[in-house]
Structures are given as structure tokens and as C-alpha cells.
Amino acid sequence: MLATVAQLKSVLGLPAHDVADDEQLEFILQAVTARFERETDRRFGYLSGAVYEFAARDTRVLPNRLPVWKVLRFEEKSLAADEWVEVQAPRLAIRHGVIYLAWPLPCTGPVARVIYDGGYILPGQAPVEGVEPLPADLQNAALRQAAYWWQRRNQLGLVSISGEGGAITQFASQDLLPEVVATLEKYQRFTF
């Protein structure tokens, strides 16, 4: 998750020792994380040995778990029933999350995959040498969005309420805050 329950409780001013709402708060943080990943078309959490499939002829590979810290190997398979086989990688460079290959992989089939280390260390995870923690602006955006959803948890799905004098109040359900949208735009996964 992009933030911890303890951090969210602090933002909401809830007592740390009161665990009555922890399960709901964790569910909201999971929903915020999933929504952020869907909106940016990427995964944020660090994973060693992440796998990303791509067309074997491509010389630009953009994995979905960013940033890419280290490429471990490339593999290919000719047919769907075949086993993955390691292939010798050409010279490569990693810039802005894109793996640039000097030339296409020497594959006999149409599909290849890269096995790599990528993503950020999320709050509550153990540090890994050489891997950056989740950027503060992204974590703060997750906390703001989770707090917003928590404060409006009883209004979700509510379309309108009639008030005195016939006034109608509308609530947006599960919308992202404008400042959160602006933060997520910076982390949008680049596509070719």
C-alpha cells in the first residue's frame, strides 16, 4: 500500500491505540493504491524478479513496475507450450523507466520477457540497498485521497439529497481530488 494505517490515522486525527476502524482504513488504502496504479498504468511497489512480457522485436521495453533498478535477464519462447529460455541481451540502457536495447533480442518466437528489479520501497517495507522509497508527493496524495474517502464513506453511492427549499446536493462517488490528479499525472507511465 502507498501509506500505512498508522499514517492515515495520524492524518485523520484518530487515536493510534483505537483499532476499531483499522480494517476499514486498510481497505481504503488498498483501494487508493489500486486506483492510483490503474490511473497511472504502473505498479509502485518494489519487487525483485518482476516479469514483463513484450514483443520480441521491440528495442524499447517499458515495464509496468517503475522505476527499473536492474535488469536480471531476458527470456523467450517460440510457442505457447514451450518453456521460457534465456537469451543473450544486447547492450542496453535504462532511462526514465525505459529499457533501450541496442538491437532486437535474438529470438525465434514473437514473445520475450524481461526479468528485473523495479518499483519503490513502500511505507512499512524493509529498505533495499540502492532502491528509493516511495516519493513523498505520491504518498501524501494517497493519504489525502484516503482521508477524503474516509470522511465521505457514508456518502459513497449517494447521488443527491433534497434539502430545504428544494435544493439538491450532489456528491461525486469515488472521485479523485484535483490535487491528487495533478500528482498522478507526473507518474503516468509513458507509452509508445
Side-chain angles (χ1 to χ4, degrees):
M1 293 184 299
L2 300 179
T4 65
V5 170
Q7 291 169 326
L8 182 55
K9 287 170 90 169
S10 177
V11 167
L12 292 168
L14 299 175
H17 66 276
D18 183 0
V19 296
D21 295 320
D22 283 9
E23 189 176 329
Q24 287 182 332
L25 294 169
E26 185 170 340
F27 176 75
I28 287 175
L29 286 170
Q30 289 171 351
V32 165
T33 299
R35 178 74 182 269
F36 280 25
E37 289 180 346
R38 192 171 53 251
E39 291 290 327
T40 59
D41 191 27
R42 66 187 283 178
R43 302 292 306 265
F44 292 105
Y46 174 75
L47 180 63
S48 179
V51 177
Y52 181 75
E53 292 185 21
F54 61 97
R57 68 184 180 286
D58 289 349
T59 56
R60 295 180 300 183
V61 181
L62 181 61
N64 61 353
R65 188 172 299 273
L66 300 171
V68 174
W69 298 107
K70 181 179 176 183
V71 172
L72 303 174
R73 68 183 177 279
F74 289 93
E75 298 176 337
E76 68 133 340
K77 67 177 178 176
S78 300
L79 303 171
D82 290 347
E83 296 289 322
W84 288 97
V85 178
E86 187 169 352
V87 293
Q88 189 63 35
R91 288 179 316 166
L92 62 89
I94 303 169
R95 288 190 303 270
H96 306 293
V98 180
I99 301 168
Y100 293 93
L101 303 173
W103 52 83
L105 294 172
C107 295
T108 57
V111 179
R113 70 182 186 181
V114 60
I115 293 83
Y116 67 102
D117 294 350
Y120 295 109
I121 299 299
L122 298 182
Q125 286 185 320
V128 175
E129 187 177 336
V131 179
E132 293 177 12
L134 185 71
D137 63 338
L138 194 55
Q139 183 178 2
N140 290 335
L143 286 167
R144 285 193 310 272
Q145 188 65 51
Y148 174 77
W149 284 354
W150 173 258
Q151 291 164 343
R152 284 151 184 79
R153 66 192 177 281
N154 296 326
Q155 299 169 346
L156 295 179
L158 187 60
V159 176
S160 66
I161 298 175
S162 296
E164 289 184 34
I168 296 177
T169 306
Q170 288 192 302
F171 298 99
S173 123
Q174 299 278 342
D175 281 344
L176 294 177
L177 296 166
E179 64 269 20
V180 168
V181 171
T183 299
L184 292 180
E185 286 175 358
K186 296 187 323 187
Y187 294 95
Q188 185 69 39
R189 182 170 166 240
F190 176 79
T191 56
F192 300 112

